[in-house]
Amino acid sequence: MECEWKPDEQGLQQILQLLKESQSPDTSTQRSVQQRLEQLNQYPDFNNYLIFVLTKLKSEDEPTRSLSGLILKNNVKAHYQNFPNGVSDFIKSECLQNIGDSSPLIRATVGILITTIASKGELQNWPELLPKLCLLLDSEDYNTCEGAFGALQKICEDSAEILDSDMLDRPLNIMIPKFLQFFKHSSPKIRSHAIACVNQFIISRTQALMLHIDPFIENLFALATDEEPEVRKNVCRALVMLLEVRLDRLLPHMHNIIEYMLQRTQDQDENVALEACEFWLTLAEQPVCKEVLLATYISFLLYIRHQGDIEEDEAIPDNEQDIRPRFHRSRTVAQQHEGDGIEEEEDEDDELDDDDTISDWNLRKCSAAALDVLANVFRDDLLLHILPLLKELLFHPEWVVKESGILVLGAIAEGCMQGMIPYLPELIPHLIQCLSDKKALVRSITCWTLSRYAHWVVSQPPDIYLKPLMTELLKRILDSNKRVQEAACSAFATLEEEACTELVPYLAFILDTLVFAFSKYQHKNLLILYDAIGTLADSVGHHLNKPEYIQMLMPPLIQKWNQLKDEDKDLFPLLECLSSVATPVYQRCVNLVQKTLAQAMLHQSQPDQYEAPDKDFMIVALDLLSGLAEGLGGTIEQLVARSNILTLMYQCMQDKMPEVRQSSFALLGDLTKACFQHVKPCIADFMPILGTNLNPELISVCNNATWAIGEISIQMGPEMQPYIAMVLHQLVEIINRPNTPKTLLENTAITIGRLGYVCPQEVAPMLQQFIRPWCTSLRNIRDNEEKDSAFRGICTMISVNPGGVVQDFIFFCDAVASWVNPKDDLRDMFYKILHGFKNQVGEENWRRFADQFPMPLKERLATFYGV
């Protein structure tokens, strides 16, 4: 029956066209492809076409054929239970016939398809699958054998439990001995598949494997030095799991296994080495012969070496860093635009590090972690073996040797602390000296090791160790090497946690350094610096609340905050830092505003006796409060409740100086979003002031006032009604003005939309006066919450006053088409309005109307809204 199905040539071409289009980078193309695929799923034999392209259409390029298979796989995942029998049988037989395709990509795709079907039908509904795949393993043809093994490996990974159940008549009794035969196969790829298949059954102690455990272990040993890294990695992985499950079987060979793992831990293939490091971590948890292990392991650890090093790199920029000029800018609320490139920056933490390749670093880290675990298991017993060696290393003339000694000393700190105490009075001063070693790698590892002994340092009289340690660590925070800066900052944060108020006498000195680091650090280390500052604030508490400290600390934090408005991925670390500093900062800002206002009053009443205050401080304070409100969100509520900030804002909003008003309106918007319950009682006083500030001559003032009105309306809902008249006419006038800056137009449109959303009866009558500029100013901004609420408003107003949009309906259509993915209920609103209009004017008129549309607009509306 399967042989009878033949594709229809036209249908086939259509599907190939789709597959080609779906490889296009353009998102709108991608979306229309998605929709057409969904439609095609209505046809029962669509899936026949997909398997046909994958297995039969050799004339097509491989990526297209593979893609066809992957789309089929997704359909299997989503709709397999609805496939007609004929279709699923056709797919199954095609898969089994083509598992040996000559292309690795096609074989892998068929394998994925097979395991997806198997996991859907739980293997019971495809009884011939496993016997057939096992049979194909014996094929003379390499591709067939490799393809069948690839599929079996995926099935073992996805369905291990079912394979070992009575449901299937225990196929593993046949499969596992079969896999073991292939450990000696001539192809490394197949050897690797064979081990990977068996490895799936170790942890669950599968009976079929336990019966063959000795031949399995012998075969592993035979492959121990295989030339293929993937095979060595799977051997290591197997031994690590066996250690947990069948230690009894490994014990007779333990000495050889430890020797072997030492070699593998230094394997030139990083994945093998990391897998081998897992062995030590697992072994340390087993109550095995300590002596064997310790002697071998330690001698190995100490000789992991560094490759090369860079001394001064602070001037080499971090990849994506461009340090911005230093200035304070008052907050202006702006929209993000399509193509701002805001999300596109990827994080540069995955670059290779400055002074040694990542693999070298990971290995050392993993080895240090293993030693840390061992120290925690063996405690001071470990010291008997390590101490003589350690002494020699720590005072070695060669820096490379000394550096590995310092690493070991840090790694054992937690487990061997008690035993180390007698040696610390000699070692700590030596380490503090090493902080100024001429080699950057020695300086950075010393920072880490000292932080591991911070608890002891703090327990001693401060002048002996704490003070010299702190002084040297602060110098390292300003080191010329980035890795050292990072290590010193992290170490300092640990020291702060241990020392707490012991640091108070040195606060000015500490803040000096941390603030200077702001100007010096590049992106990656700034994140650690924020942590150090936040930890400092948590550790010394109210001692930080002195005007001179706050004045040192706040300007650089604000400056970073203002730079961060644009690329937000660092916001969280900065916020955590700010919220630690928040309470003292919040109080300090409120006091600054209050003092400035008081002095302005005095100056007004007695100008000859009192000079005018510098209002810049007040503007910075208002902006910082905005930053806190935005950053802390609802948690700022308690701070607002305990202060008179709203009374102060009422005065600032009426200040003669435009910048003061501008910043106070931004703060009003941010507090409205963060804790409206405190703002609401003042709305009747604030709204008339906002209305009088809708003067487009002062762009930023007008912009922030407009934005605040929009935020207030969302919170007020229908209760906004009495205030509409105070602001609506000015807003409509601004949106119609020629040459109004883009940001102001966008915010005005959003606010008009929001007012219409909460009070449609009041705003809709004016629709005709603003709909055209409203649509053109919002078509270019990205989908976001503000755009969402504005468009809901416009739709609500159109339903109240449909006549108001008739003349400019093409602009509305264009604005609707600017949405990438509106929420479902908003999409429905658009749909209803578009179809309502079309039905109103009739088919003929609509066609004439739609002919004026540019092609892309026509296509988008047809695709998304079917008009």
Side-chain angles (χ1 to χ4, degrees), residues 114 164 221 235 259 374 422 430 458 480 497 572 622 711 846:
I114 288 177
D164 189 30
F221 288 163
V235 169
E259 286 290 330
L374 291 175
H430 175 63
V458 172
S480 56
E497 285 175 344
F572 277 116
L622 290 167
E711 290 298 339
W846 175 264

Side-chain angles (χ1 to χ4, degrees), residues 692-724:
T692 53
N693 275 280
L694 296 175
N695 163 17
E697 297 303 319
L698 293 170
I699 292 163
S700 297
V701 178
C702 184
N703 183 63
N704 287 0
T706 303
W707 176 72
I709 292 167
E711 290 298 339
I712 289 169
S713 61
I714 290 292
Q715 300 288 343
M716 291 285 282
E719 293 176 58
M720 193 68 186
Q721 191 260 325
Y723 307 110
I724 301 281

Side-chain angles (χ1 to χ4, degrees), residues 530-531 533-538 544 553-554 557 561 571-586 624 627-633 635-636 638-639:
Y530 297 149
D531 180 54
I533 291 173
T535 309
L536 179 67
D538 295 339
L544 196 58
L553 197 47
M554 287 336 291
L557 282 174
W561 180 266
L571 222 49
F572 277 116
L574 178 50
L575 271 178
E576 275 181 38
C577 169
L578 271 175
S579 54
S580 296
V581 184
T583 311
V585 169
Y586 181 89
L624 186 56
L628 285 177
E630 191 181 8
L632 301 174
T635 41
I636 199 171
Q638 304 104 319
L639 296 174

Side-chain angles (χ1 to χ4, degrees), residues 586 589-590 593 622 625 639-640 643-650 667 671:
Y586 181 89
C589 289
V590 173
V593 174
L622 290 167
L625 287 166
L639 296 174
V640 175
S643 68
N644 58 341
I645 185 67
L646 288 154
T647 320
L648 300 174
M649 277 164 62
Y650 180 61
L667 176 56
L671 286 178

Side-chain angles (χ1 to χ4, degrees), residues 589-600:
C589 289
V590 173
N591 294 346
L592 254 174
V593 174
Q594 191 154 5
K595 271 211 331 234
T596 313
L597 289 172
Q599 191 169 347

